[in-house]
Amino acid sequence: MTLDMNIKLSLIGILVIWNLVTFTLYAIDKHRAKKGQWRISEKTLLLVTLLFGGLGAISAGHLLHHKTRKGYFQMTWWLGVIVVIGTVYVIVNN
């Protein structure tokens, strides 16, 4: 079964929006860390990363210098990137 082009574009659009949301969550957490305020839990950041947010997470991590020293975050970012790339591959090739 192949997907209609409109559905493919919609799914890719949803991935883009989700990665922007993920980037924003990391940015908010970084801002709160600087201000000494309540933080977004690491569990939440890791979960949104694995659930199709790898590109947003890795971008935020490197651009904002946030969570870059934590190996489990870097590993999760790369796993998240693989999930996103794999998902785009499946969308495009169906």
Side-chain angles (χ1 to χ4, degrees):
M1 179 176 144
T2 60
L3 295 175
D4 178 70
M5 183 59 79
N6 289 331
I7 294 172
K8 289 180 181 184
L9 290 174
S10 295
L11 291 172
I12 291 173
I14 290 167
L15 282 174
V16 169
I17 291 167
W18 183 248
N19 277 276
L20 290 171
V21 167
T22 302
F23 184 98
T24 302
L25 288 173
Y26 274 80
I28 290 168
D29 188 57
K30 176 68 175 191
H31 177 75
R32 290 178 177 172
K34 286 182 176 180
K35 299 273 187 181
Q37 297 174 337
W38 170 83
R39 306 275 303 278
I40 297 170
S41 74
E42 287 189 346
K43 184 168 129 178
T44 299
L45 294 174
L46 293 168
L47 186 61
V48 297
T49 299
L50 286 175
L51 296 176
F52 309 101
L55 294 174
I58 202 167
S59 299
H62 289 292
L63 289 172
L64 305 173
H65 305 286
H66 192 47
K67 304 287 187 187
T68 56
R69 294 184 183 184
K70 297 192 174 196
Y72 55 94
F73 265 90
Q74 291 193 25
M75 182 181 68
T76 305
W77 293 343
W78 286 110
L79 287 173
V81 168
I82 291 168
V83 168
V84 171
I85 291 171
T87 302
V88 170
Y89 178 83
V90 169
I91 291 169
V92 169
N93 289 301
N94 274 317

